Amino acid sequence: MNLNLLKENILETKLNLLRIQLEKQTAIKDLQYEKAANLREQEKQIREHIENLKSVVIKSIHTLKVEHGSIADFILLQALLLEFHSIDFLNDCSYTQSIEVIENYMNCYWRIREQMQDDLMKFLCDEYQYLRVQIRNFNNESDTFNAQEAISRLTSISDIINRHSN
């Protein structure tokens, strides 16, 4: 799967949703209820598409394997997952004036982000273990170039893990 195309699809879909919502609000303000109803149906279809994209991102995160270069993919997938939070938050809070309800949703999304950070740390720990094995294999094969590259990545991951654990 091309993650850059997925990102583009997500961003275009979010923009389309915003355009439809603005057009629907204008139609309601102008008392064009039939047009607003049609736009509401389009909005529903776009929201379903967004949920499908979100499912693709979540599935991709959970099936991503620890291997060379996969950290960048993992980070991009996590960033894509964050793209959905603004839509979800607005949808969750759009019909309330209660500060308590809004605060509860904000806390919910912060817990989700904390879980994402925990997932990242687990992924990095797995990558750390994978690289240790790779370094041993490269050294056994006398492949000093790849061993040095793996050591450099291992050091970077180690620094991140240490910063997080302090």
Side-chain angles (χ1 to χ4, degrees):
M1 166 190 341
N2 185 328
L3 295 182
N4 289 321
L5 289 177
L6 179 60
K7 179 180 181 178
E8 184 177 329
N9 192 349
I10 291 167
L11 295 174
E12 284 177 350
T13 305
K14 284 178 64 176
L15 183 59
N16 287 337
L17 178 63
L18 179 62
R19 286 181 181 146
I20 292 293
Q21 289 171 332
L22 292 173
E23 192 175 345
K24 181 183 75 174
Q25 289 172 357
T26 301
I28 291 170
K29 189 173 90 174
D30 294 343
L31 305 176
Q32 298 174 334
Y33 298 118
E34 187 175 331
K35 181 178 180 180
N38 290 335
L39 291 167
R40 192 172 13 260
E41 186 58 36
Q42 289 178 29
E43 179 183 9
K44 182 181 174 189
Q45 292 171 356
I46 292 171
R47 285 186 184 278
E48 288 174 4
H49 182 63
I50 287 172
E51 284 303 311
N52 289 337
L53 291 170
K54 186 176 175 181
S55 294
V56 167
V57 170
I58 291 170
K59 182 179 178 186
S60 296
I61 288 171
H62 292 296
T63 59
L64 191 65
K65 302 287 186 228
V66 174
E67 56 190 41
H68 182 71
S70 60
I71 291 176
D73 290 345
F74 184 84
I75 291 170
L76 179 56
L77 286 166
Q78 291 289 347
L80 291 178
L81 190 56
L82 290 172
E83 288 292 338
F84 299 103
H85 286 187
S86 60
I87 296 169
D88 294 340
F89 181 75
L90 286 172
N91 191 45
D92 291 339
C93 296
S94 63
Y95 298 107
T96 187
Q97 295 295 316
S98 167
I99 296 298
E100 292 83 16
V101 171
I102 294 168
E103 185 176 26
N104 285 338
Y105 279 116
M106 286 175 58
N107 289 334
C108 174
Y109 285 101
W110 280 114
R111 283 191 302 275
I112 291 169
R113 288 175 181 215
E114 288 170 359
Q115 180 61 50
M116 290 170 68
Q117 184 171 2
D118 291 344
D119 291 347
L120 175 60
M121 296 295 31
K122 181 193 177 310
F123 189 85
L124 290 176
C125 287
D126 291 347
E127 179 79 1
Y128 184 87
Q129 294 302 323
Y130 173 79
L131 286 171
R132 290 184 64 203
V133 170
Q134 290 299 322
I135 290 168
R136 195 170 25 252
N137 291 342
F138 290 140
N139 284 331
N140 289 342
E141 298 167 2
S142 299
D143 186 349
T144 55
F145 176 77
N146 283 325
Q148 281 303 115
E149 286 288 314
I151 289 170
S152 175
R153 291 183 65 218
L154 186 71
T155 302
S156 298
I157 291 171
S158 177
D159 292 343
I160 293 169
I161 292 170
N162 286 332
R163 276 195 310 260
H164 179 65
S165 61
N166 290 336

